Amino acid sequence: MSEFITPFYGGVLIGAAALLMLLANGRILGVSGIVGGILNSSTRNQSWRFYFVVGLLAGGVLESFGNPSVFAFTISRSWVAIVVAGLLVGYGARLGNGCTSGHGICGVSRLSRRSTLATILFIATGAAVVFVINHLLGGQI
Amino acid sequence: MNRWMAFLCGLNFAVGLCIAGMTQPGKITGFLDFAGNWDPSLLFVMAGAILVYSVGFRMAVKMPKPLFENEFQIPPVRSVDKKLVFGSILFGAGWGLAGFCPGPGIVSLVSLRPEPFLFVISMVAGMWIFEKTQTR
């Protein structure tokens, strides 16, 4: 049972964080937009973006003491694959105007057609890539 | 814009991601492996987050303004365009390839393991390439 309740509870906290961003600062919580905005020279008033990123790291530090198993993962991916993945995720999220948080959670909740399509597309392509890796390449790349 | 609220949002978000198991790339690739040993965790994470946010969003935007800003900045309704479609396809390919998306990638930096660093550095590079190649 906890295998369903724990992720659900984590999701509730994620939703609450996104809601806090809306209530307090009136913004959509989209990680790629917040980080990407730091690189965009035309964006004014940058400092809150750094505070958000430091908050992410602080939350990670808290969890690494309270619950170290969350970072004890195994990754069956080569460094080349991870670099290619990072480039695709960074470029793709900015081109598509959002990622799993902004589109997948906030946008889907708002019933945005763009975000819903984006979410369907990235789950579908993600699944296609995982299919190739796990079922055609033996689980490693 | 209240900076400490932004900090708190980041902290709250990261704790949620960790509890949800989303800092573990295997949970993401497990969810995306519909033809194999499917891990439904991400579905429950999405359900919890969307439940809270969809109810909360509708209540929040009825407020005259957010607590620390003069107005809400909600993306306007726009039509689907090629950028959205291609961007989301590229994003999905990268997400499936490593099992990291931007939030969990950044949070996982605190593990001090090499993979999150490689991922986040190349992700920022990808964002930078986008900024430099964009036609305004």
Side-chain angles (χ1 to χ4, degrees):
Chain A
M1 212 38 194
S2 73
E3 67 211 272
F4 307 124
I5 290 184
T6 311
F8 183 83
Y9 172 57
V12 166
L13 290 179
I14 292 169
L19 192 57
L20 180 64
M21 182 64 94
L22 183 72
L23 287 169
N25 291 343
R27 281 189 161 261
I28 298 296
L29 195 163
V31 177
S32 57
I34 294 173
V35 175
I38 295 173
L39 303 170
N40 184 335
S41 51
S42 66
T43 317
R44 294 171 295 114
N45 186 9
Q46 300 275 30
S47 63
W48 71 274
R49 295 172 189 271
F50 289 100
Y51 276 68
F52 176 79
V53 172
V54 173
L56 284 179
L57 297 172
V61 170
L62 271 182
E63 282 291 315
S64 67
F65 288 118
N67 190 9
S69 66
V70 298
F71 297 119
F73 44 77
T74 49
I75 302 177
S76 48
R77 300 288 187 265
S78 66
W79 286 17
V80 174
I82 291 174
V83 168
V84 172
L87 289 168
L88 286 169
V89 164
Y91 186 86
R94 295 301 285 150
L95 183 66
N97 244 301
C99 60
T100 23
S101 48
H103 281 317
I105 293 166
C106 298
V108 168
S109 296
R110 296 190 296 117
L111 301 177
S112 154
R113 278 183 58 204
R114 281 171 55 90
S115 292
T116 307
L117 177 67
T119 305
I120 291 168
L121 284 174
F122 61 63
I123 290 177
T125 41
V129 168
V130 168
F131 181 83
V132 171
I133 296 170
N134 283 3
H135 302 283
L136 304 180
L137 301 175
Q140 287 185 5
I141 190 168
Chain B
M1 191 64 65
N2 187 302
R3 289 184 250 170
W4 287 105
M5 280 294 172
F7 172 84
L8 206 60
C9 288
L11 192 147
N12 185 346
F13 191 79
V15 170
L17 284 174
C18 290
I19 289 175
M22 296 296 103
T23 49
Q24 300 163 61
K27 288 270 176 192
I28 306 297
T29 52
F31 170 77
L32 293 172
D33 192 7
F34 294 100
N37 191 12
W38 188 54
D39 179 344
S41 299
L42 180 63
L43 201 63
F44 292 95
V45 179
M46 298 272 298
I50 290 172
L51 185 74
V52 170
Y53 196 80
S54 56
V55 174
F57 176 83
R58 281 161 183 78
M59 291 162 69
V61 292
K62 291 204 176 102
M63 303 192 324
K65 63 186 195 64
L67 297 172
F68 299 101
E69 274 290 310
N70 293 325
E71 55 187 2
F72 286 102
Q73 288 189 37
I74 309 299
V77 177
R78 279 191 290 155
S79 55
V80 168
D81 57 13
K82 277 188 194 158
K83 281 184 169 183
L84 179 88
V85 171
F86 287 129
S88 301
I89 288 173
L90 294 177
F91 174 84
W95 190 42
L97 183 53
F100 280 121
C101 54
I106 293 171
V107 175
S108 300
L109 290 175
V110 306
S111 69
L112 302 179
R113 294 173 58 172
E115 294 91 348
F117 279 90
L118 275 177
F119 176 79
V120 171
I121 290 167
S122 46
M123 177 184 86
V124 172
M127 291 176 167
W128 183 82
I129 293 168
F130 171 77
E131 292 296 337
K132 292 296 154 196
T133 54
Q134 231 207 144
T135 46
R136 289 181 204 281

